[in-house]
Amino acid sequence: MILSKQTLSSVQKTKGLDIPVESVFSLPEKVLQFGTGVLLRGLPDYFIDKANRQGIFNGRIVIVKSTASGGADAFDQQDGLYTLCVRGIENGNTVEENIVNSSVSRVLSAVSQWNEILRCASNPDLQVIISNTTEVGIVLDLDDDLNAAPSRSFPVKLLAFLYKRYRTLNGDQEKGLVIIPTELIPDNGEKLEALIEELAHRYNLEYAFIDWLENANFFCNSLVDRIVPGKLPAIMQSKVEKELGYTDELMIMSEVFRLWAIESDKKKVQEILSFSKADAGVVIAPDIDKFGELKLRLLNGSHTFTCALAILLGFTTVKQAMADNDFMAFITGLMLDEIVPAIVSEKVSREEGLEFSAKVLDRYRNPFIEHQWLSISLQYSSKMKMRNVPVLLKHYEKTDAVPQHMALGFAAYLLFMESVINERNESAGELAGKQYVINDDRAAQLHELWGIGGTDEFVKKVLEDKSLWETDLTVLPGFSEAVTASFKTIQKEGALAALKKIKAQKIV
């Protein structure tokens, strides 16, 4: 039995399965969503579905996908229904929940159904546009055609849709939209708005439309944070489908943690985005910078500080590392004793940092997600520069005490980056007799520095290299010495010995 509106009544309401009520299918279409990706289906669509169940938002989603349907499309077969399998750890407890998401009304192809998409522009019930077209989606394409069916780039598609809405609804100031990009770039709403306005001028659209565009619509910066691996592993999917009694080609998995921070101080935006009342994971605030700071420094940053160390310890996945008491103690100390104190500011309180850290630790312990450390090491050097060097500098702005966890993380990174050029002309490292590929644009530069003098000279050369860090890290009191000491310990005694030394120093 395939999951669909017709078969839904035959689905047994088993423990851990949340099924929608029939009335949801008659709700009006209030959202246009550019993108069918798993992040959108696992986060914004999750919140909208949850709100509909509570009778709050009462609106469904029309999804625009960038490709034409290839034969019988799963979204059509399943009437937009799909199962979201929520798996993970929350407050120390294991969570296993299955939700039949009914937020999607229909899915339209931009390639073959653009005119149908444009007809949505005249829908007076429409209130929200959401997008996730990847980071390269919000770009200016000067050669795009506004009148094409469809235009090539997302910003021009969006402009064409907004212009159609303006014309069909006679420039009604009350029919502007809340537009929320979720692409992972800073100030995504502001950047999209600037592109749309620039394009409107380039295409010589009438001033009255540009005025409506600027004053009737609300472009909001947003930050999304939820791990949505997507399709379940085949064995796991088969097991879940057997338990639920139906097959679902669109079934996806997500972690428990969820955050959608939306930046706005407008009352009207809050009224339109009423789904925010259904779940504490949706936050509408005048300034969402603190959420980005917490995510970048504590989630992304702790990954980067510990990645090489975990690999050198022999761990393949994050959950393997988190099952080790010594590693668990290290990453906890890194976050609570060094990163949190460094990022406390007028925007981020110590309590917020500690609370977010606890959630991050729960996320790392998730037994259902196979997060590979080697995948995390992609472009390691740029991640270290962007995520961790600023925290290191903030630490030294507040104290001259050497951050031993950060120093060990940096030392492990340097050892991980020791490379040779393999037979496929790739930069590769070696651990326990096995090679691993180093996907890092700075690998060749680090390789050259490895040939300079002994350990002390090598560490000094790397830390003082402003082309790597945009600053000289050797001026930080005691940091170069601590990195060098940890580096030598790993070389001579192994990563575990270095880890235990940090633990012993903390106890003393």
Side-chain angles (χ1 to χ4, degrees):
M1 181 175 70
I2 298 174
L3 177 65
S4 68
K5 182 179 176 181
Q6 184 177 358
T7 61
L8 196 58
S9 59
S10 301
V11 176
Q12 298 295 319
K13 295 184 178 180
T14 58
K15 183 180 179 182
L17 178 63
D18 198 347
I19 301 174
V21 296
E22 178 70 24
S23 59
V24 73
F25 297 105
S26 61
L27 294 176
E29 294 174 340
K30 290 187 177 182
V31 181
L32 185 72
Q33 175 176 299
F34 285 87
T36 60
V38 295
L39 176 64
L40 290 176
R41 292 199 286 131
L43 193 63
D45 300 356
Y46 163 85
F47 290 128
I48 290 170
D49 178 68
K50 187 172 183 178
N52 287 341
R53 293 168 188 270
Q54 297 177 19
I56 296 176
F57 181 66
N58 297 322
R60 302 185 78 202
I61 304 165
V62 179
I63 294 182
V64 178
K65 65 175 182 175
S66 59
T67 57
S69 298
D73 187 88
F75 285 101
D76 293 334
Q77 280 190 328
Q78 298 183 191
D79 300 311
L81 296 172
Y82 63 92
T83 311
L84 176 64
C85 302
V86 181
R87 300 288 188 273
I89 305 293
E90 186 173 44
N91 298 323
N93 300 313
T94 301
V95 175
E96 295 186 55
E97 183 182 13
N98 304 306
I99 303 164
V100 176
N101 189 299
S102 57
S103 65
V104 178
S105 173
R106 52 190 172 136
V107 177
L108 301 174
S109 166
V111 174
S112 61
Q113 297 173 290
W114 183 245
N115 288 333
E116 182 64 26
I117 292 166
L118 287 181
R119 277 194 279 275
C120 295
S122 61
N123 174 11
D125 292 318
L126 194 69
Q127 296 180 320
V128 181
I129 292 180
I130 303 169
S131 72
N132 194 307
T133 56
T134 75
E135 292 79 359
V136 297
I138 302 182
V139 293
L140 184 64
D141 185 346
L142 298 178
D143 298 321
D144 206 349
D145 182 358
L146 181 65
N147 297 311
S151 304
R152 186 168 52 225
S153 67
F154 164 61
V156 180
K157 285 188 180 80
L158 178 57
L159 177 61
F161 185 88
L162 293 171
Y163 189 49
K164 180 73 172 180
R165 185 170 181 82
Y166 165 80
R167 295 179 69 183
T168 56
L169 297 180
N170 301 312
D172 189 338
Q173 291 289 318
E174 295 301 313
K175 296 304 178 183
L177 303 170
V178 176
I179 300 160
I180 317 171
T182 65
E183 289 81 356
L184 296 176
I185 58 175
D187 302 321
N188 44 22
E190 293 176 19
K191 289 178 180 175
L192 180 59
E193 181 178 20
L195 280 179
I196 297 296
E197 291 179 359
E198 180 177 349
L199 287 165
H201 286 286
R202 283 180 177 270
Y203 289 122
N204 295 314
L205 300 180
E206 58 263 43
Y207 175 78
F209 166 70
I210 296 175
D211 180 73
W212 178 85
L213 179 66
E214 294 176 348
N215 296 303
N217 298 275
F218 304 91
F219 289 79
C220 302
N221 296 327
S222 85
L223 172 77
V224 289
D225 188 5
R226 189 176 214 181
I227 297 172
V228 187
K231 199 171 182 64
L232 282 66
I235 295 176
M236 184 178 178
Q237 171 134 358
S238 178
K239 178 176 180 290
V240 172
E241 288 182 335
K242 185 176 180 180
E243 291 173 351
L244 300 182
Y246 60 81
T247 59
D248 179 359
E249 190 176 333
L250 299 172
M251 183 180 291
I252 59 173
M253 178 171 65
S254 79
E255 67 172 335
V256 182
F257 181 86
R258 64 267 183 199
L259 172 66
W260 190 12
I262 302 168
E263 189 168 273
S264 179
D265 59 358
K266 306 297 184 183
K267 184 178 180 181
K268 185 173 182 179
V269 170
Q270 294 182 345
E271 291 172 351
I272 290 173
L273 305 183
S274 58
F275 55 76
S276 63
K277 300 174 185 176
D279 192 288
V282 184
V283 179
I284 304 175
D287 186 341
I288 62 171
D289 284 352
K290 75 174 179 181
F291 299 103
E293 181 75 354
L294 288 167
K295 178 178 184 289
L296 182 63
R297 308 308 178 194
L298 286 167
L299 178 68
N300 305 135
S302 64
H303 260 159
T304 302
F305 265 131
T306 58
C307 178
L309 183 62
I311 292 170
L312 295 178
L313 286 165
F315 299 120
T316 303
T317 65
V318 174
K319 71 177 184 180
Q320 285 177 345
M322 294 301 291
D324 180 87
N325 290 334
D326 289 320
F327 184 88
M328 176 66 176
F330 176 81
I331 196 169
T332 302
L334 169 70
M335 287 196 285
L336 302 188
D337 298 339
E338 294 181 2
I339 298 180
V340 169
I343 66 173
V344 167
S345 65
E346 292 181 357
K347 291 185 177 181
V348 178
S349 69
R350 181 175 181 275
E351 290 69 27
E352 287 172 328
L354 295 176
E355 181 181 355
F356 195 84
S357 296
K359 292 177 180 178
V360 168
L361 291 172
D362 273 347
R363 298 170 75 180
Y364 286 169
R365 284 193 291 257
N366 192 335
F368 301 97
I369 295 179
E370 297 287 342
H371 205 170
Q372 305 286 323
W373 284 113
L374 276 177
S375 297
I376 295 170
S377 74
L378 181 68
Q379 298 300 341
Y380 205 156
S381 299
S382 63
K383 288 177 179 177
M384 185 69 82
K385 170 188 171 183
M386 180 183 72
R387 299 172 176 180
N388 293 347
V389 169
V391 177
L392 179 61
L393 297 177
K394 287 180 181 180
H395 169 88
Y396 274 101
E397 286 174 5
K398 298 182 177 183
T399 177
D400 282 344
V402 178
Q404 295 292 342
H405 297 78
M406 294 185 191
L408 175 53
F410 212 104
Y413 151 76
L414 294 178
L415 281 154
F416 171 84
M417 292 297 294
E418 182 180 9
S419 65
V420 296
I421 304 300
N422 65 19
E423 63 276 7
R424 292 184 296 276
N425 202 33
E426 300 167 323
S427 294
E430 185 175 305
L431 180 65
K434 294 183 180 180
Q435 279 196 350
Y436 55 85
V437 176
I438 299 174
N439 291 301
D440 190 319
D441 290 342
R442 295 288 191 171
Q445 184 176 351
L446 268 294
H447 178 75
E448 290 181 7
L449 290 174
W450 264 95
I452 298 175
T455 297
D456 296 70
E457 183 66 13
F458 166 68
V459 173
K460 179 177 180 296
K461 286 292 183 183
V462 173
L463 292 182
E464 70 182 7
D465 193 333
K466 292 184 180 181
S467 70
L468 287 169
W469 319 117
E470 293 186 358
T471 189
D472 181 355
L473 300 180
T474 62
V475 302
L476 304 176
F479 186 68
S480 180
E481 292 80 0
V483 172
T484 302
S486 288
F487 187 101
K488 290 178 178 177
T489 299
I490 297 173
Q491 275 190 320
K492 295 176 182 178
E493 304 174 48
L496 182 58
L499 196 67
K500 288 183 177 295
K501 282 189 177 182
I502 299 299
K503 187 176 180 180
Q505 289 174 1
K506 185 177 178 181
I507 294 174
V508 173

